[in-house]
Amino acid sequence: MTAVADLDLRKVRYFVAVAEHLNYGRAAASLHIAQPVLTRQIRALEHDLHAQLLLRDQRGVELTEAGRHLYADAPALLAEAAAVQRRVARAARGSDTFVVGFMPGLIVTAPVKELGVAHPELTVEVLRTGWDTQVEVLLDGRADIGYIRMPVQARGLHIEPLFEEARMAMLPADHRLAGLAEIEIADLADDHLLQDPDAVPEWRDIATELRDRHPRGADPALRTVEEKLEHVATGRGIVILPASTAAFYRRPDVMQAAVTDIGPNRVCLAWRDGRRDPLISEFAALARAEHVPAPDTRRVSQAPI
């Protein structure tokens, strides 16, 4: 089989488009190329790899076993290529920059400042991420290291636990549970969750039967904490947030209650697996030092948004 280093990344991108759409016409339209051109590029890629990747008949397009393997590996391959291009372009511009990604509610000022003091020639920048971008920015090179909230897809990453934090239910002011300091996740089973259910698997598991009996329409794409809390305040549903995020975004028309019977969400440091940049190790040490627990002190934990 052709070595990965010999792969034409443009052809791989074309293949990913077809694999996503399972339709050559729609894939060609998304790539802004003619369908015959796309067909020729896929055939050329199959020739390069000595493997059939797609089956095409009157019923549509299917991935072969080889195609499924390439489709699983392609995102990491393309992200690594993009990351290399960004780092090379940054070096070519002569800009010595280190970028730290962080999720909402987290304060990263101390280690960012300390790294800048230790390296006056270095520009240390921060990049605010979201639930759906916290890993992406590390894989594609926009950030060198990131504070991430678990769970995430760990493939291609080196991940180190940092600390934990309790989770809070954010409720409309007129919610039946508003005013309670503590609740259980079962109390929210028939509420409408305004975030990815995978971010709150405990709610997802107990609410499955109720959702099947009372299907709801699709939510708009709520990407930021601010958008979610606006919907909470107007009574459209609830969200579960880490304690630090809940405290950071406190507002009078949204009530908070600690969810006592679900595990904490972990905050971790993460960077692209295989990177050997000494600045990453140095920053990780600074971040770990900031979060060393005090003796005989219980740590609280963190959750996805």
Side-chain angles (χ1 to χ4, degrees):
M1 180 177 287
T2 302
V4 171
D6 296 331
L7 277 177
D8 184 332
L9 295 180
R10 181 184 59 177
K11 294 174 187 173
V12 174
R13 291 189 186 94
Y14 289 174
F15 163 78
V16 168
V18 178
E20 288 176 345
H21 292 278
L22 292 179
N23 180 286
Y24 274 79
R26 289 195 294 271
S30 72
L31 293 165
H32 306 290
I33 62 173
Q35 185 172 332
V37 173
L38 177 60
T39 300
R40 287 196 298 270
Q41 292 297 313
I42 296 299
R43 287 175 180 165
L45 178 62
E46 290 177 325
H47 179 268
D48 292 343
L49 294 172
H50 307 291
Q52 186 174 9
L53 303 172
L54 299 161
L55 296 173
R56 187 179 184 184
D57 57 28
Q58 294 180 341
R59 293 175 298 176
V61 178
E62 293 182 12
L63 292 169
T64 65
E65 186 64 24
R68 283 190 286 272
H69 278 280
L70 180 57
Y71 188 41
D73 291 338
L77 177 66
L78 295 174
E80 174 63 15
V84 170
Q85 289 174 336
R86 281 192 173 93
R87 290 196 291 268
V88 170
R90 198 160 65 190
R93 293 194 302 268
S95 56
D96 200 358
T97 305
F98 187 84
V99 181
V100 180
F102 68 99
M103 287 287 281
L106 299 178
I107 297 175
V108 301
T109 309
V112 165
K113 186 175 181 179
E114 289 179 59
L115 189 69
V117 169
H119 300 273
E121 77 290 350
L122 182 69
T123 301
V124 186
E125 297 180 349
V126 294
L127 175 64
R128 195 258 205 199
T129 63
W131 174 246
D132 55 349
T133 61
Q134 57 179 338
V135 168
E136 181 182 296
V137 300
L138 298 171
L139 295 179
D140 69 15
R142 280 177 283 170
D144 296 288
I145 194 169
Y147 289 71
I148 63 171
R149 296 191 185 278
M150 302 297 281
V152 300
Q153 171 54 254
R155 184 174 185 177
L157 295 178
H158 176 87
I159 297 177
E160 291 188 3
L162 193 58
F163 64 97
E164 296 180 335
E165 175 175 70
R167 289 192 273 179
M168 309 290 291
M170 311 299 283
L171 311 171
D174 59 354
H175 192 277
R176 66 188 184 282
L177 302 175
L180 295 179
E182 297 181 345
I183 60 176
E184 295 183 353
I185 193 65
D187 297 330
L188 303 172
D190 58 354
D191 281 281
H192 190 36
L193 190 71
L194 293 168
Q195 64 199 116
D196 186 342
D198 288 340
V200 194
E202 303 91 345
W203 179 92
R204 179 197 61 206
D205 295 342
I206 65 170
T208 298
E209 182 181 348
L210 285 170
R211 288 204 308 277
D212 290 342
R213 286 188 304 190
H214 306 289
R216 297 180 171 95
D219 279 329
L222 304 178
R223 297 189 176 276
T224 69
V225 178
E226 295 86 349
E227 289 174 328
K228 292 167 187 172
L229 291 180
E230 285 296 331
H231 280 68
V232 171
T234 55
R236 300 183 188 182
I238 58 111
V239 296
I240 309 294
L241 297 181
S244 65
T245 309
F248 191 83
Y249 289 94
R250 188 179 296 276
R251 47 189 289 174
D253 52 358
V254 175
M255 302 293 104
Q256 302 184 16
V259 186
T260 60
D261 61 340
I262 62 176
N265 170 244
R266 294 173 293 150
V267 170
C268 297
L269 289 174
W271 57 89
R272 189 173 185 89
D273 199 19
R275 287 201 62 189
R276 298 291 182 263
D277 187 341
L279 288 173
I280 292 178
S281 299
E282 186 174 347
F283 184 89
L286 293 171
R288 286 192 296 267
E290 185 188 14
H291 292 286
V292 173
D296 303 320
T297 298
R298 289 188 61 189
R299 290 185 297 168
V300 214
S301 306
Q302 296 206 327
I305 300 171

